[in-house]
């Protein structure tokens, strides 16, 4: 007689194709308003139909850029403004979140449960959230 173990939880396996797809979409959304003449540490604002984003280029190299993206929340006394540090890979045409809010280094996979209560797929979730955040910015506005 065989005993089936339906209660045993499957170990999370990241979906690399889905992750690369969301990073590719983020890259395409960022390119819509990323300036050609980059000035490091000179923030600008991106206005959209649903609000605005503040963007600052922290680092600019030949094939990559490191940018900080935040969304100011009016009267946000109870909430922290969403903020992410994003690495843009121009050669691979990807944009990946490196840090977000209080997570300073995102791991590809987290054991669950964990002390900080991150999801098993936290890295994917944060990049998917960035995609939604980037949909705010439709056109670039100089500050």
């Amino acid at each position: 007689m065989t005993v089936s173990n339906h209660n045993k939880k499957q170990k999370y396996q990241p979906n690399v194709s889905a992750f690369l797809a969301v990073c590719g979409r983020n890259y395409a959304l960022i390119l819509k308003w990323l300036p050609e003449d980059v000035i490091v540490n000179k923030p600008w604002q991106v206005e959209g139909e649903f609000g605005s984003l503040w963007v600052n280029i922290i680092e600019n190299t030949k094939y990559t850029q490191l940018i900080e993206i935040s969304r100011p929340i009016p009267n946000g006394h109870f909430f922290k403004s969403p903020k992410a540090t994003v690495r843009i890979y121009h050669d691979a045409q990807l944009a990946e979140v490196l840090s977000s809010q209080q997570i300073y280094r995102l791991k590809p996979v987290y054991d669950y449960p964990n002390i900080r209560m991150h999801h098993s797929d936290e890295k994917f979730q944060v990049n998917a959230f960035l995609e939604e955040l980037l949909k705010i910015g439709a056109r670039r506005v100089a500050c």
Side-chain angles (χ1 to χ4, degrees):
M1 182 170 162
T2 60
V3 177
S4 103
N5 228 351
H6 292 292
N7 293 338
K8 190 173 183 181
K9 188 174 179 181
Q10 293 284 331
K11 183 174 170 141
Y12 170 72
Q13 293 291 321
N15 185 336
V16 177
S17 296
F19 179 73
L20 291 175
V22 77
C23 290
R25 290 191 301 271
N26 287 345
Y27 179 80
L29 288 166
I30 288 172
L31 273 190
K32 289 181 180 179
W33 43 257
L34 191 66
E36 297 225 0
D37 298 326
V38 174
I39 300 172
V40 176
N41 289 322
K42 186 173 186 236
W44 74 90
Q45 190 171 6
V46 176
E47 289 289 336
E49 183 180 350
F50 303 107
S52 62
L53 299 174
W54 280 98
V55 183
N56 185 27
I57 295 181
I58 300 169
E59 178 183 291
N60 187 36
T61 64
K62 187 174 182 178
Y63 298 109
T64 67
Q65 291 174 314
L66 185 65
I67 65 173
E68 186 176 81
I69 300 172
S70 62
R71 179 172 188 320
I73 298 176
N75 301 323
H77 298 74
F78 301 107
F79 304 104
K80 281 191 164 188
S81 295
K83 185 176 180 179
T85 305
V86 179
R87 173 73 67 191
I88 301 170
Y89 302 95
H90 292 290
D91 52 348
Q93 297 184 345
L94 299 172
E96 175 188 17
V97 176
L98 299 181
S99 66
S100 175
Q101 300 306 97
Q102 292 85 18
I103 308 171
Y104 298 106
R105 177 178 259 165
L106 286 162
K107 293 176 19 182
V109 176
Y110 288 89
D111 290 331
Y112 192 82
N114 57 67
I115 194 137
R116 301 216 189 269
M117 293 307 292
H118 295 312
H119 292 277
S120 297
D121 65 343
E122 188 78 20
K123 188 166 187 146
F124 178 83
Q125 295 289 335
V126 169
N127 280 279
F129 177 72
L130 176 65
E131 180 180 16
E132 294 303 315
L133 199 60
L134 291 173
K135 289 177 182 176
I136 291 171
R139 63 186 187 280
R140 183 172 168 256
V141 176
C143 282

